[in-house]
Amino acid sequence: MEDIEHIEKEMKLIDENGVRLDGRKFDQLRPIRIEAGVLKRADGSAYIEWGGNKVLAAVYGPREAHPRHIQDPARALVQCRYNMAPFSVSDRKRPGPDRRSVEISKVISEAFSSVVFKEQFPRTSVDIFIEVLQADAGTRCAGLTAASVALADAGVPMRDLVAACASGKIGGVVCLDLNKEEDNFGDADCPMAVVHGTGEIVLLQMDGHLTFDEFQKAMELSLGAADRLFELQRDALRRRYSVTLEEILRESPPPVAPPPEPEDRDFAPVEEPGPQDEAPPRDEDFGPEGI
Amino acid sequence: MEERGAALRQIVIPGEAVGGPGLKPGPGTFKSGDQILAAQLGVRTEHEGRVSIIPLNGRYIPQRGDAVVGEVTDLGPSHWLVDINAPYPAPLHATESPWRVEFGDTGRYLKVGDAILAFVLSVDEIKRIQLTMQDRDARKLNGGMLMEIAPTKVPRLIGKQGSMITMVKELTQTRIYVGQNGRIWIDGPEQGAAAAVRAIHFIEERAQAIGLTEAVRDLLEKETRGTGVSS
């Protein structure tokens, strides 16, 4: 008993110089990497590594909603399943939905249903799957950020991308993006999801207590982080499609040298764009449809 | 690289501004105040003052008049249910078939698993779909094989006035039907059909490439040389 009290007092989450346990300042994010289109079978997918978090997101749809009675004749449903792998935490997590993951699934699906153009696809459902492979605090934010990229990758019409980041209070200081220790031993944690263009907040939760001023500060930090996350999301989506474009360029034979004899017939050289062969307006490529 | 990069089409992401006042929002875009924003991940195009996004990915959403390749999944006494790769069930009513079907006798004409080329007769506000085969080109597809590509790549596969698909058909000596839903039916000599499948995958992968028609011609000529498929 005595021991636990002792540890909690000694655990200094942030020092006098404002440096946290992992060496970050109060307004710094953990290192983040996003990749789009990692799963072949899903309509859209994304993978995110956010500090110690590793999360996969997959999107299907719009597709027929089952069972039939959940269909909405006026709009599409946005359904989400957030799930943690048994090996995602240090003690084995009992597999299957629990109170926590059902709640997170609900708030994430509500966040996305405010950006997806649901009216365009009546009676269907857009299904989002978030699988947490490794957890290190902030998985709902990481999952939501990845799911947003996966939705765009699936070609689902939406108003904007959504990014999420938590802020909290540790050792009396309001900080951005808490990690595992800070989340466990800190004073408050407040995840927030933001629509990039409009600054609307589509997810807001809080664990612990913040005063109004502290909350304002936390919100400011999260909004700033959302802008940085948006850039990462945008780059991930652009990268996904420019890879194929770069491949095409690489395969083009040099203008003067004779084209090498390609052994593999799957990789025939692509024509060099000549002066008269410059990018035709896209419309022309899409001529009247024949059969 | 810089210069040639510009020749490739710019990719926009949802929420990105694609036009201002004076332009009209087209498919794949929406208006927010004065701005026109992209609703989908795709390539921006502008035509007669109308901005639209050609999506890079996405499900097939049926539209009236679309030619679709479907597979019969269920029989009713006076209709067939057809899977057209859309989020909605697509019934084909017996009166819309090219045959005189007695009530309860639908199984004599089309069975579960049969492939058909049909047309979308109507799509209403809540996306109820009806198919028709009352068209010169509609038919039951006997033999052959089915393949699928992304529906967004179908216009590229067909090409201007059907130039791309005609070339594939001629060089491989196959019969091919391409549905707007991304389903493709191919029939012909084994070698030719295999070459056609590879060519179609090639086109799907490289839908953004410039000079694709020529690249496909090269590919097919190399494939069919010596096999006696192409004359």
Side-chain angles (χ1 to χ4, degrees), chain B residues 99-120:
Chain B
W99 313 286
R100 241 190 73 83
V101 184
E102 293 279 323
F103 185 81
D105 213 13
T106 44
R108 263 182 57 192
Y109 301 90
L110 289 173
K111 291 182 185 63
V112 171
D114 284 350
I116 58 166
L117 177 69
F119 289 80
V120 178

Side-chain angles (χ1 to χ4, degrees), chain B:
Chain B
M1 184 70 200
E2 226 17 75
E3 196 187 296
R4 292 172 65 198
L8 297 163
R9 290 110 185 168
Q10 196 210 337
I11 293 167
V12 295
I13 57 169
E16 196 169 324
V18 288
L23 289 168
K24 275 186 252 158
T29 65
F30 67 102
K31 222 168 166 166
S32 167
D34 271 352
Q35 292 269 302
I36 297 172
L37 307 178
Q40 264 175 306
L41 182 73
V43 182
R44 180 189 185 276
T45 57
E46 197 180 316
H47 187 64
E48 289 172 0
R50 204 180 167 84
V51 189
S52 53
I53 302 296
I54 295 164
L56 288 171
N57 221 334
R59 292 296 273 246
Y60 169 66
I61 302 298
Q63 282 180 320
R64 213 184 93 205
D66 279 357
V68 291
V69 174
E71 203 180 313
V72 178
T73 55
D74 198 8
L75 304 179
S78 61
H79 71 278
W80 298 270
L81 265 186
V82 186
D83 169 25
I84 57 164
N85 198 24
Y88 304 102
L92 169 69
H93 199 261
T95 54
E96 290 295 340
S97 74
W99 313 286
R100 241 190 73 83
V101 184
E102 293 279 323
F103 185 81
D105 213 13
T106 44
R108 263 182 57 192
Y109 301 90
L110 289 173
K111 291 182 185 63
V112 171
D114 284 350
I116 58 166
L117 177 69
F119 289 80
V120 178
L121 176 69
S122 69
V123 181
D124 68 9
E125 308 80 49
I126 60 163
K127 304 265 179 190
R128 262 190 314 226
I129 293 162
Q130 276 185 294
L131 295 179
T132 181
M133 287 180 77
Q134 303 272 7
D135 191 289
R136 209 162 51 89
D137 296 316
R139 66 199 65 206
K140 181 180 170 192
L141 300 170
N142 295 306
M145 59 185 209
L146 287 177
M147 68 178 286
E148 245 171 60
I149 63 166
T152 49
K153 305 289 196 295
V154 166
R156 196 67 172 104
L157 173 60
I158 291 167
K160 275 182 239 177
Q161 321 284 326
S163 59
M164 182 78 84
I165 197 67
T166 312
M167 183 186 73
V168 175
K169 280 196 257 192
E170 275 168 10
L171 289 175
T172 59
Q173 304 211 327
T174 49
R175 293 159 64 215
I176 302 176
Y177 288 117
V178 183
Q180 289 294 323
N181 56 347
R183 284 250 178 80
I184 299 161
W185 177 82
I186 303 171
D187 191 24
E190 219 170 279
Q191 293 272 359
V197 169
R198 276 193 292 272
I200 290 167
H201 279 310
F202 182 84
I203 295 164
E204 189 192 6
E205 267 170 42
R206 273 147 242 246
Q208 263 95 33
I210 293 151
L212 186 61
T213 316
E214 288 316 303
V216 174
R217 184 185 296 280
D218 285 353
L219 172 85
L220 283 175
E221 276 169 359
K222 215 165 294 136
E223 289 231 347
T224 51
R225 193 180 302 147
T227 59
V229 171
S230 188
S231 47

Side-chain angles (χ1 to χ4, degrees), chain A residues 43 158 251 265 282 284 286, chain B residues 39 59 155 160 206 219:
Chain A
D43 291 329
M158 53 206 264
E251 281 159 25
R265 52 188 162 198
R282 190 69 177 185
E284 283 182 40
F286 288 72
Chain B
R59 292 296 273 246
K160 275 182 239 177
R206 273 147 242 246
L219 172 85

